[in-house]
């Protein structure tokens, strides 16, 4: 029986894919400790892991602020990572020395997990819920002038934070060495090789296991008289009243049925009287919905796109920041979706018509679905972790 430690940031998109993996490891008889945040305690304990709260050590940020830092303000993200690492240092290093884990599995943005593994010389595996990044794929990150400027003016602060890590005996050369995994780093990537951009530039230490989708009952997709359009901007940056209003205007009283998920903080009544063909909710079961949807209008978060492709659903692509734009570009490049040319109702309507009139979009989405399903998911991810630990023990 192995002892495995997980670390993640307080974000649904980075935590959710690990939950089926934790369940799989626990079911195989291994012990799992999971350093996370109170919002995810029920999910983590439900998977069979021992939950350890880190909330008091993280700077007081909302999920919206965290998402913006991760996607747009790189200097602020590095500052948060270093401050969190230093705040957790005494507690976590003591606990890990007591537990004596066989392995640390840490999210690709939860750099403190990686730093603890390096400091204590514990075998480390990176858990990547977005695309894998190296020096080649990093060039695809087309940052805006504002993002580049924030990075430039933030460099003095970044360098001070890197020196602070060195003062705490963390062996880091520069900020690049923290954020980028080289080809010698064992890395689990929750997508298929076929969907990963420039997959050939990664070594065999990268395991592309496909989406880690929770267990769900199979749903009959009977032939319907009307097409179903599903609309969601995810769990974080979803308070976008003008966008929802444009969706209502685009699809009101059409031959489509529309299910729109607007987020827990959005007041549905603000949208006014809704057309009969619209169902608007604060949240929906996305896995269940995508089993019957014909088109998904999405913000292009990696989890949402992966789930859509897993069920072969083509997408209208509405990315909100640079990371999501890379995902949207890849979907469009592989012919499984259409990027919006504008935010107005006419652009939404035109994109949906284009997909429905061209069966190729669905066919391409279904081809990617096959690669996702064949990649292995949580079971293969567990195999990768256990195999790597066995090799290290020899």
């Amino acid at each position: 029986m192995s002892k495995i430690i997980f670390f993640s940031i307080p974000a649904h998109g980075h935590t959710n894919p690990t939950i089926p993996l934790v369940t799989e490891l626990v079911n195989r008889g291994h012990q799992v400790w999971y350093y996370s945040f109170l919002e995810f305690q029920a999910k983590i304990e439900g998977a069979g892991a021992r939950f350890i709260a880190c909330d008091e050590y993280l700077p007081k940020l909302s999920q919206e602020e965290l998402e913006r830092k991760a996607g747009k303000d790189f200097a602020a993200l590095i500052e948060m990572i270093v401050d969190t690492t230093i705040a957790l240092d005494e507690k976590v290093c003591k606990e890990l020395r007591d537990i004596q884990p066989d392995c640390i599995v840490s999210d690709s943005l939860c750099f403190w997990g990686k730093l603890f593994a390096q400091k204590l010389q514990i075998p480390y595996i990176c858990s990547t819920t977005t695309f894998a990044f190296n020096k080649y794929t990093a060039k695809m990150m087309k940052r805006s002038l504002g993002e580049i400027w924030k990075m430039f003016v933030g460099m003095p602060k970044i360098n001070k934070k890197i020196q602070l890590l060195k003062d705490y005996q963390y062996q880091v050369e520069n900020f690049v060495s923290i954020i980028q995994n080289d080809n010698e780093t064992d890395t689990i990537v929750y997508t298929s090789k076929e969907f990963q951009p420039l997959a050939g530039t990664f070594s065999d230490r990268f395991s592309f296991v496909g989406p880690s989708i929770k267990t769900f009952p199979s749903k009959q997709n009977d032939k319907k008289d009307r097409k179903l359009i599903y609309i969601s901007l995810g769990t974080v940056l979803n308070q976008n009243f003008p966008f929802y209003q444009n969706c209502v205007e685009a699809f009101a009283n059409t031959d489509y049925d529309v299910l729109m998920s607007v987020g827990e903080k959005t007041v549905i009544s603000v949208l006014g009287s809704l057309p009969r063909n619209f169902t608007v909710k604060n949240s929906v079961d996305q896995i269940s919905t995508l089993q019957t949807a014909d088109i998904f209008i999405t913000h292009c978060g990696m989890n949402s796109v992966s789930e859509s492709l897993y069920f072969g659903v083509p997408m209208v692509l509405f990315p909100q920041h640079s990371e999501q734009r890379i995902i949207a570009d890849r979907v469009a490049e592989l012919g499984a979706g259409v990027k919006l040319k504008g935010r107005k109702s006419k652009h939404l309507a035109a994109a949906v018509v284009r997909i429905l009139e061209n069966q190729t979009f669905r066919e391409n989405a279904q081809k990617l679905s096959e690669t996702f399903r064949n990649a292995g998911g949580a079971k293969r991810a567990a195999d990768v972790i256990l195999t790597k630990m066995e090799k290290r023990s020899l």
Side-chain angles (χ1 to χ4, degrees):
M1 178 174 63
S2 299
K3 298 177 181 178
I4 304 167
I5 305 292
F6 276 72
F7 288 91
S8 191
I9 62 173
H12 291 277
H14 292 258
T15 303
N16 289 346
T18 68
I19 298 302
L21 171 55
V22 169
T23 301
E24 182 69 22
L25 289 168
V26 171
N27 287 345
R28 296 190 192 187
H30 302 284
Q31 289 181 287
V32 177
W33 287 257
Y34 204 131
Y35 285 86
S36 184
F37 301 85
L38 290 170
E39 182 175 2
F40 305 97
Q41 181 174 1
K43 281 185 179 180
I44 290 167
E45 291 180 341
R50 300 183 190 184
F51 170 81
I52 304 172
C54 300
D55 298 71
E56 65 180 287
Y57 301 93
L58 189 73
K60 301 302 180 184
L61 297 173
S62 67
Q63 279 217 23
E64 288 86 349
E65 291 172 313
L66 179 63
E67 183 82 4
R68 288 191 180 95
K69 287 183 186 297
K72 295 184 178 182
D73 192 344
F74 186 75
L77 177 64
I78 290 292
E79 183 178 6
M80 182 201 76
I81 289 160
V82 173
D83 289 345
T84 303
T85 303
I86 300 304
L88 283 166
D89 179 82
E90 183 178 356
K91 165 189 168 63
V92 174
C93 288
K94 179 182 182 304
E95 291 173 350
L96 293 182
R97 289 187 179 103
D98 290 340
I99 295 171
Q100 296 187 345
D102 299 288
C103 175
I104 286 177
V105 181
S106 186
D107 180 79
S108 58
L109 282 185
C110 189
F111 301 113
W112 50 89
K114 177 180 181 178
L115 290 168
F116 292 138
Q118 291 174 342
K119 182 175 183 178
L120 300 177
Q121 297 185 324
I122 299 169
Y124 164 74
I125 296 176
C126 178
S127 171
T128 301
T129 58
T130 60
F131 286 137
F133 279 89
N134 58 17
K135 63 183 180 180
Y136 302 103
T137 56
K139 295 176 182 178
M140 300 167 58
M141 188 73 80
K142 300 173 184 177
R143 297 193 177 275
S144 68
L145 288 176
E147 292 169 353
I148 294 171
W149 175 250
K150 284 182 180 179
M151 175 82 168
F152 175 75
V153 299
M155 280 307 300
K157 187 177 291 186
I158 288 176
N159 291 333
K160 287 182 180 179
K161 292 296 182 181
I162 296 300
Q163 183 57 50
L164 183 59
L165 284 176
K166 292 179 180 179
D167 293 342
Y168 275 78
Q169 286 75 55
Y170 290 97
Q171 297 179 0
V172 292
E173 296 178 18
N174 50 46
F175 74 92
V176 175
S177 69
I178 299 177
I179 65 171
Q180 181 176 291
N181 293 331
D182 58 30
N183 273 336
E184 300 307 310
T185 302
D186 292 322
T187 305
I188 293 170
V189 190
Y190 296 97
T191 192
S192 65
K193 269 192 172 183
E194 291 80 0
F195 191 50
Q196 167 69 43
L198 302 175
T201 64
F202 295 91
S203 73
D204 59 6
R205 302 287 286 271
F206 285 75
S207 301
F208 296 92
V209 303
S212 180
I213 303 290
K214 67 181 181 182
T215 303
F216 53 87
S218 181
K219 198 166 184 178
Q220 293 295 324
N221 193 359
D222 297 329
K223 191 172 182 179
K224 309 184 297 288
D225 294 331
R226 295 164 62 88
K227 300 294 185 182
L228 174 61
I229 300 173
Y230 170 49
I231 303 168
S232 172
L233 296 182
T235 58
V236 182
L237 302 177
N238 52 29
Q239 291 181 269
N240 194 329
F241 175 74
F243 179 76
Y244 297 135
Q245 199 169 39
N246 287 341
C247 288
V248 172
E249 184 178 331
F251 307 119
N253 303 315
T254 60
D255 291 333
Y256 313 132
D257 287 325
V258 181
L259 174 58
M260 191 158 69
S261 177
V262 295
E264 297 291 351
K265 296 181 180 179
T266 299
V267 180
I268 295 174
S269 60
V270 175
L271 291 170
S273 179
L274 294 167
R276 288 186 178 182
N277 64 320
F278 266 72
T279 301
V280 180
K281 297 183 178 182
N282 291 110
S283 65
V284 303
D285 183 336
Q286 184 159 288
I287 294 292
S288 177
T289 300
L290 286 170
Q291 290 181 71
T292 58
D294 295 284
I295 292 178
F296 182 17
I297 300 177
T298 174
H299 67 303
C300 304
M302 190 65 168
N303 269 17
S304 289
V305 166
S306 295
E307 289 168 358
S308 189
L309 291 175
Y310 190 89
F311 294 106
V313 180
M315 286 161 278
V316 173
L317 307 161
F318 181 54
Q320 308 294 292
H321 56 64
S322 53
E323 181 184 295
Q324 293 171 356
R325 284 193 289 273
I326 290 177
I327 298 168
D329 288 344
R330 185 59 172 165
V331 174
E333 177 187 356
L334 297 175
V338 172
K339 290 182 72 175
L340 278 176
K341 294 183 177 180
R343 302 186 179 194
K344 295 181 180 179
S345 59
K346 66 179 181 180
H347 299 121
L348 286 157
V352 165
V353 168
R354 184 181 171 194
I355 290 176
L356 291 178
E357 289 184 347
N358 188 343
Q359 189 63 22
T360 303
F361 290 105
R362 177 164 288 275
E363 291 170 357
N364 288 333
Q366 290 172 343
K367 288 177 184 177
L368 287 168
S369 173
E370 290 180 18
T371 72
F372 281 9
R373 292 171 183 266
N374 293 335
K379 290 186 177 181
R380 184 171 171 225
D383 290 340
V384 168
I385 292 170
L386 298 176
T387 299
K388 290 184 184 300
M389 286 194 300
E390 289 172 5
K391 287 181 179 178
R392 283 166 172 156
S393 64
L394 295 177

